[in-house]
Amino acid sequence: VFNSNGIRKNIEILTYDRTGQPDGGELHVSEIHLPQDYSVIKECTPDDFALIIVEEDLSDRIHFSIGNSYNMTNSEVGTIPLHVTGIPDKKPNGEPDEENDMLYTHFGSIYGNDNRSLLHYTVDTTGGQSGSPVYTITRERYNSTDYYTYTALAIHTAGPDGAGYNYGTLMTKYQLNFYRNNPYVN
């Protein structure tokens, strides 16, 4: 929600079907909530996040639970599958793709958790996917029917060149309290 001109007022949010194709819908932003200590003067950092309130009812959409992984042990590294879904700004051959409007999901696993604010993972992403959820999918079966739970653990931030991993801002107690205690969230 922030660029070189400050906080953006006009944000376009498109909707997609389950295959990642645009379904022709658009969400309209009614409010943008930023943490009280957010400063537009500082450079964008992995700690930047916002809550965007839309006018539309989203009850028939896939919902993400907001979780955290700050108590994860090193023994779990490499065993927890993660996904990042977003719109890359490059074609598979590396050329810019300004016409792309399709969602892609990349997957990998947790790479390490030695930082209390960042989650490192092997999910291969491209530019343009920053801000996408980093999430797990849990399947439970009841009466021969599968039910899936999507839990966002982090917000995809970046991938340092040659590092062998990407990273995202963990959902810490600070972010969880910001989202859960916001009077506009139901």
Side-chain angles (χ1 to χ4, degrees):
V1 298
F2 176 79
N3 63 21
S4 59
N5 297 324
I7 297 173
R8 294 175 54 196
K9 302 293 185 218
N10 54 346
I11 296 174
E12 181 181 59
I13 302 175
L14 304 177
T15 61
Y16 294 81
D17 65 21
R18 290 181 182 268
T19 68
Q21 298 288 334
D23 64 9
E26 183 177 350
L27 302 177
H28 299 91
V29 176
S30 61
E31 296 182 40
I32 299 173
H33 296 261
L34 297 168
Q36 189 172 11
D37 59 354
Y38 182 83
S39 170
V40 295
I41 298 170
K42 69 179 180 177
E43 295 279 328
C44 289
T45 69
D47 297 326
D48 292 339
F49 61 94
L51 176 62
I52 299 173
I53 308 298
V54 297
E55 296 172 3
E56 289 76 13
D57 178 4
L58 301 178
S59 61
D60 64 339
R61 300 288 178 166
I62 292 177
H63 289 87
F64 282 77
S65 297
I66 298 177
N68 60 53
S69 59
Y70 50 83
N71 291 324
M72 183 187 69
T73 65
N74 284 333
S75 65
E76 294 172 302
V77 169
T79 65
I80 300 174
L82 292 177
H83 308 269
V84 175
T85 299
I87 303 174
D89 64 359
K90 295 189 186 311
K91 295 178 183 177
N93 64 6
E95 294 178 16
D97 188 2
E98 297 184 17
E99 300 292 319
N100 183 21
D101 59 357
M102 186 170 164
L103 287 175
Y104 289 87
T105 298
H106 299 141
F107 60 92
S109 63
I110 292 176
Y111 180 81
N113 191 36
D114 56 357
N115 184 311
R116 294 189 88 39
S117 63
L118 298 176
L119 180 66
H120 297 111
Y121 40 86
T122 62
V123 181
D124 188 20
T125 60
T126 66
Q129 291 183 290
S130 295
S132 299
V134 179
Y135 60 97
T136 61
I137 302 173
T138 305
R139 182 185 81 163
E140 295 182 32
R141 191 166 182 84
Y142 298 107
N143 298 326
S144 301
T145 303
D146 291 331
Y147 296 91
Y148 296 91
T149 301
Y150 301 83
T151 303
L153 300 178
I155 302 166
H156 177 62
T157 306
D161 289 334
Y165 63 85
N166 288 323
Y167 62 87
T169 303
L170 275 171
M171 292 295 189
T172 64
K173 289 180 182 180
Y174 180 72
Q175 281 99 341
L176 291 173
N177 285 332
F178 178 78
Y179 294 127
R180 289 185 175 150
N181 296 327
N182 194 303
Y184 297 93
V185 178
N186 59 28

